[in-house]
């Protein structure tokens, strides 16, 4: 790359060339082994005499910042000591306060020095189940010269074939009956939710969220200037009678409450929709992991029950495929479609086209369905093992929250247990077990304490061994 050197203004030119190159080496923009431009070429581009550059290079060499090799020119010295000069840029700007309120708490999982031996981290799928070969072949097929994509921007709503595939997919699997025109492709659920916020919220509006709930979504709403109010949940889901009258948006996870794991009951769903109609509020249904349902018949989505056009459905492929592909989607009422597409255009113009086309291929060829069936069998076994072991081996210590979907389980800690949940998480980390407290997902002061155990990152053997170890830690 060209190194930017400025000779504007006054001062000795050799000195200034030397300073700027030395700075680049010390702050790491130029790394050990990187070549410096030939002195003749640099002199020509700066319009100075070659000797001016040569003198600067001599100083760098004398200080040990560079080395030379005959015939190969000047390099950054392999042994350069970058720790010599700490450099900080001045900073006069401060972020708006929502950022300071962000919710990383003291009982976050402690950083593991090494990868956790037993990773019960919540919210991650098993990367080993990802259909890697098909994905690679599909991408490489799309990147072949004959498939060259035009160098223009694509449709902000998402490519038509993907939107059509998504519409078929959710219509079949979740009775979210819609057409390609009702779908906006997003970078994961997180962007879908923030597009909705952009479209619906004015600063100061009240947004009701489940408490406990998913912190990044709360932070996102707060970043738009919303007044985010936590609403308690019970075994049936969000407590509708506790919703603030002022709420214009209600965010919830009806298929698998995050993080507790129960499904919202049919009665509660109806009650919530009636409340939304009476209060002219929007309801966001975050269906982040409903592909993985074990045993029970799926409950009707809020979207499919909605007769008033108040529900916005948000889906993601972060659990069903892989979080790094950043693919999600929003299905809203037709009245919001144009605004959602405009918001997507403002945000990032459109999602990566190659990934969109690859995902469409996976959906259309049935590869996705096959993968989900396979992954679901693996997760069902883990879910069964984890819940049965928690019941069998943690009697009187942990009380499992009944749940038959998703990639994690929650369990309340018996108040008579000597160790706090935070201490358990800390002690577990020392033994190579990664898990989280329920408390860290609360917005209000937690009324109970407990643990959340994900099973995307740990196989059956790991579950059995990890729980044996955990039992010793708790008792
Ligand atoms: C409840 C909930 N909603 C949304 C998301 C965000 O998913 P995405 O990766 O699609 O942005 C997650 C991810 O963990 C989640 O747990």
């Amino acid at each position: 790359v060209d190194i930017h050197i400025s000779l504007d203004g006054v001062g000795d030119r050799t000195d200034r060339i030397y300073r700027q190159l030395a700075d680049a080496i010390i702050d790491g923009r130029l790394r050990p082994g990187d070549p410096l431009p030939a002195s003749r070429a640099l002199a020509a581009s700066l319009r100075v005499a070659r000797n001016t550059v040569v003198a600067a290079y001599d100083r760098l060499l004398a200080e040990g910042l560079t080395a030379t090799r005959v015939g190969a020119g000047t390099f950054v010295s392999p042994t350069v000591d970058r720790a010599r000069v700490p450099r900080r840029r001045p900073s006069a700007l401060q972020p708006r306060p929502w950022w300071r309120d962000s919710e990383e708490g003291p009982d976050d999982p402690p950083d593991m020095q090494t990868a956790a031996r037993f990773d019960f981290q919540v919210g991650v799928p098993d990367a080993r189940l990802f259909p890697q070969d098909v994905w690679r072949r599909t991408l490489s097929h799309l990147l072949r010269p004959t498939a060259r994509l035009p160098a223009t921007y694509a449709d902000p709503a998402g490519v038509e074939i993907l939107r059509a595939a998504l519409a078929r997919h959710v219509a079949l699997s979740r009775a979210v009956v819609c057409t390609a025109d009702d779908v906006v492709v997003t970078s994961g659920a997180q962007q879908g939710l923030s597009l909705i916020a952009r479209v619906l919220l004015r600063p100061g509006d009240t947004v009701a969220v489940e408490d406990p709930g998913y912190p990044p979504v709360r932070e996102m709403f707060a970043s738009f200037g919303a007044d985010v109010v936590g609403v308690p949940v019970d075994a049936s889901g969000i407590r509708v009678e506790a919703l603030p009258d002022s709420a214009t948006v209600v965010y919830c996870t009806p298929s698998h409450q995050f993080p507790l794991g129960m499904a919202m009951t049919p009665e509660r769903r109806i009650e919530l929709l009636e409340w939304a109609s009476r209060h002219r509020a929007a309801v966001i249904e975050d269906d982040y992991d409903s592909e993985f349902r074990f045993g029970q018949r799926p409950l009707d989505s809020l979207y499919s029950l909605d007769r008033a056009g108040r529900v916005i459905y948000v889906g993601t492929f972060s659990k069903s495929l892989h979080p790094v592909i950043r693919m999600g989607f929003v299905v809203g009422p037709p009245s919001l479609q144009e605004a959602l597409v405009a918001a997507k255009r403002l945000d990032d113009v459109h999602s990566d086209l190659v990934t969109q086309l690859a995902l469409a291929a996976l959906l259309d060829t049935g590869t996705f369905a096959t993968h989900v069936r396979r992954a679901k069998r693996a997760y069902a076994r883990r879910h069964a093992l984890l819940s049965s072991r928690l019941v069998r081996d943690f009697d009187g210590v942990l009380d499992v929250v009944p749940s038959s979907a998703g990639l994690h389980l929650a369990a309340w800690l018996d108040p008579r247990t000597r160790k706090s949940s935070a201490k358990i998480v800390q002690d577990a980390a020392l033994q190579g077990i990664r898990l989280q407290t329920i408390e860290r997902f609360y917005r209000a002061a937690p009324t109970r304490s407990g643990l959340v155990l994900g099973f995307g990152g740990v196989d059956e053997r790991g579950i059995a061994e990890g729980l044996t170890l955990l039992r010793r830690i708790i008792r």
Side-chain angles (χ1 to χ4, degrees):
V1 283
D2 273 349
I3 303 167
H4 176 79
I5 292 177
S6 161
L7 294 181
D8 294 345
V10 292
D12 176 67
R13 291 176 157 193
T14 289
D15 190 56
R16 299 175 67 198
I17 294 168
Y18 158 78
R19 254 289 111 230
Q20 290 175 58
L21 287 173
D23 281 352
I25 293 170
I26 287 162
D27 67 23
R29 279 173 290 149
L30 284 171
R31 288 165 306 175
D34 280 352
L36 263 54
S39 55
R40 190 186 302 278
L42 184 58
S45 76
L46 294 174
R47 295 166 202 261
V48 297
R50 183 163 171 226
N51 276 346
T52 309
V53 174
V54 169
Y57 277 28
D58 285 347
R59 274 177 72 184
L60 292 167
L61 188 65
E63 298 214 344
L65 290 173
T66 57
T68 58
R69 242 185 291 136
V70 181
T74 302
F75 293 85
V76 177
S77 162
T79 58
V80 67
D81 178 10
R82 287 211 273 109
R84 269 194 345 180
V85 185
R87 289 200 2 124
R88 294 214 77 187
R89 283 172 52 76
S91 53
L93 307 176
Q94 292 301 328
R96 270 176 37 220
W98 69 263
W99 186 82
R100 265 183 221 301
D101 299 341
S102 88
E103 313 184 15
E104 299 302 295
D107 50 359
D108 280 344
D111 273 341
M112 299 262 167
Q113 296 307 320
T114 51
R117 202 148 54 97
F118 305 105
D119 195 349
F120 293 98
Q121 163 100 332
V122 63
V124 289
D126 189 339
R128 284 166 305 185
L129 297 173
F130 180 67
Q132 187 71 32
D133 287 340
V134 185
W135 186 248
R136 184 168 31 77
R137 264 184 276 126
T138 310
L139 286 178
S140 79
H141 181 83
L142 288 164
L143 291 170
R144 278 200 314 221
T146 46
R148 188 171 290 149
L149 301 165
T152 54
Y153 294 112
D155 186 346
V159 277
E160 164 90 30
I161 55 165
L162 176 57
R163 286 186 287 114
L166 289 170
R168 279 194 298 276
H169 165 64
V170 283
L172 281 175
S173 64
R174 302 296 293 125
V176 171
V177 179
C178 61
T179 69
D181 292 339
D182 302 316
V183 178
V184 181
V185 176
T186 61
S187 256
Q190 186 73 25
Q191 187 188 39
L193 295 161
S194 87
L195 297 183
I196 296 167
R198 219 184 233 278
V199 161
L200 289 181
L201 291 178
R202 277 173 303 223
D205 281 358
T206 304
V207 176
V209 299
E210 295 167 332
D211 199 15
Y214 183 58
V217 171
R218 295 201 289 254
E219 289 177 33
M220 179 279 295
F221 284 129
S223 79
F224 281 93
D227 180 16
V228 182
V229 177
V231 176
V233 297
D234 60 23
S236 305
I238 194 165
R239 281 177 42 200
V240 172
E241 88 285 356
L243 285 167
D245 282 333
S246 57
T248 53
V249 172
V250 181
Y251 164 82
C252 57
T253 48
S255 296
H256 186 228
Q257 202 276 333
F258 189 93
L260 297 180
M262 64 285 180
M264 195 185 291
T265 58
E267 299 73 29
R268 192 60 65 83
R269 289 173 194 240
I270 302 295
E271 200 189 332
L272 174 60
L273 292 175
E274 285 172 358
W275 185 95
S277 278
R278 276 201 311 282
H279 291 76
R280 306 169 144 272
V283 177
I284 303 176
E285 175 172 31
D286 181 355
D287 210 16
Y288 63 105
D289 69 358
S290 70
E291 288 84 357
F292 303 118
R293 218 173 296 102
F294 318 118
Q296 279 174 3
R297 214 177 64 78
L299 294 166
D300 293 334
S301 58
L302 282 177
Y303 184 96
S304 68
L305 296 170
D306 172 31
R307 299 282 167 267
R310 302 203 158 271
V311 175
I312 309 163
Y313 179 92
V314 177
T316 177
F317 290 88
S318 287
K319 319 292 166 185
S320 55
L321 281 173
H322 203 299
V324 303
I325 66 169
R326 306 307 303 138
M327 278 284 129
F329 59 99
V330 174
V331 182
S335 54
L336 289 187
Q337 183 65 9
E338 216 179 280
L340 286 169
V341 175
K344 172 69 181 170
R345 183 190 278 116
L346 292 180
D347 223 33
D348 64 353
V349 188
H350 60 70
S351 291
D352 174 63
L353 192 54
V354 177
T355 314
Q356 291 191 57
L357 293 170
L359 179 57
L362 254 60
L363 289 164
D364 282 340
T365 55
T367 307
F368 177 75
T370 309
H371 159 69
V372 167
R373 270 198 302 277
R374 222 183 108 231
K376 192 164 146 180
R377 281 196 295 272
Y379 292 138
R381 286 195 297 271
R382 296 181 196 184
H383 176 270
L385 179 66
L386 183 60
S387 30
S388 64
R389 285 293 168 93
L390 285 173
V391 169
R392 192 189 77 185
D393 297 343
F394 292 82
D395 185 36
V397 180
L398 290 175
D399 185 13
V400 182
V401 180
S403 162
S404 56
L407 300 180
H408 68 267
L409 277 173
W412 299 113
L413 192 63
D414 190 288
R416 287 162 306 185
T417 312
R418 265 181 304 123
K419 266 190 196 177
S420 70
S421 56
K423 180 81 170 99
I424 292 169
V425 167
Q426 263 171 23
D427 291 351
L430 296 175
Q431 309 268 343
I433 305 177
R434 193 201 314 265
L435 71 163
Q436 285 163 295
T437 65
I438 294 181
E439 291 94 298
R440 81 168 296 276
F441 298 101
Y442 271 95
R443 182 174 173 77
T447 45
R448 295 176 77 179
S449 84
L451 300 172
V452 188
L453 295 111
F455 47 87
V458 52
D459 60 13
E460 285 167 82
R461 211 171 124 198
I463 291 173
E465 287 178 26
L467 287 191
T468 305
L469 203 54
L470 184 65
R471 194 166 79 153
R472 262 184 258 138
I473 292 164
I474 298 185
R475 288 197 189 265

